[in-house]
Amino acid sequence: MGLFNKIKKLNIFSGLFSVDEDFFEELEESLILSDMGMETTLEAVETLRERVKERKIKEPEEVKACLREILVEMLAVGEPGLDLSGKPAVILMIGVNGVGKTTTIGKLANRLKADGNRVLLAAGDTFRAAAAEQLSVWAERAQVEIVKHEEGSDPAAVVFDAMNAARARRVDVVLVDTAGRLHNKQNLMNELNKIRRVIDREGESSSKEVLLVLDATTGQNGLIQAKQFSQSAGITGIVLTKLDGTAKGGVVLAIAKEMGVPVKYVGLGEGIDDLQPFDPAAFAEALV
Ligand code: GDP
């Protein structure tokens, strides 16, 4: 079972079944209930029908293998890993409050450090009281550096300082935290744009990633959030948190299809080690 042992198998595969018309209908229902979304479900089931026919598949085990193959194909969008080629590499972390952004930054910092990188955190959420404090706690846990300013200060100035510190201290990766909420959505998007411009200006030789953090337990709502952010932020990947909870997981497929960006990491708990690179094959195995 491994990585995704909390993901619930699709209902239809919990017992015996035969490959007939009822099967396809029940599969559709099962996939929709797993948060995969209507459109993505219909596409997957249609592809499965075609392949079952083409390959004259009759055995349930073969159908399962075929469905896994289709799910893995649907998940193959964008670049799977992080581009850390630049000096410093910059990872901008975005997402609404409560999804697990701060926790994810801590976990990711820990991972990158363990891989031999010098990591610096930029406390770009200056709006929420205690956001920088919370990030400092994670910086300490992961034993990485942090640049922070006072609450209410300009996040673009924090990022400017962080980029300069990174150059001076030969930092490999800068992880930038951002606000998850401001007075209104337009303010938030303007602020993200401003931060991006500072990163572009100060990081001429930087590689850039923009990771959107989504809470898997919010299902299809996560997708709506993702679309709103992607309009202004140019997302390169998703981190899906709380897959250890009650999440049904199918939203991963809906994200891949509707956003065209890969899930790069998954959060599987609250601890510092509970972040793993997303493995499509293992995920399909857990679901089917
Ligand atoms: P932020 O507001 O987006 O920065 O969210 P936080 O990082 O403060 O996390 C909100 C809550 O979700 C905290 O209680 C975290 O411990 C919890 N959390 C974050 N990631 C995960 C995860 O992958 N699994 C579980 N079970 N809880 C998580």
Side-chain angles (χ1 to χ4, degrees), residues 94-107 125 128 131 134-135 138 141 177-178 180 213-215 217 239-246 266-271 274-275:
I94 63 176
V96 304
N97 286 346
V99 292
K101 185 150 44 82
T102 314
T103 310
T104 299
I105 293 173
K107 292 170 177 175
D125 181 358
R128 186 163 63 97
Q134 207 189 332
L135 198 67
W138 278 104
R141 266 183 213 154
D177 188 19
T178 58
V213 183
L214 290 179
D215 176 343
T217 61
V239 179
L240 198 62
T241 62
K242 310 188 193 181
L243 265 180
D244 53 309
T246 54
V266 290
L268 298 161
E270 298 182 272
D274 297 327
L275 183 80

Side-chain angles (χ1 to χ4, degrees), residues 5 37 70 80 132 152 180 215 278:
N5 56 5
I70 291 166
D215 176 343
F278 179 64

Side-chain angles (χ1 to χ4, degrees), residues 54-72:
E54 255 169 45
R55 300 178 192 173
K56 302 188 171 54
I57 292 174
K58 293 198 178 58
E59 296 301 320
E61 279 310 313
E62 284 177 275
V63 179
K64 282 171 142 184
C66 189
L67 180 59
R68 284 187 205 122
E69 168 192 297
I70 291 166
L71 297 183
V72 170

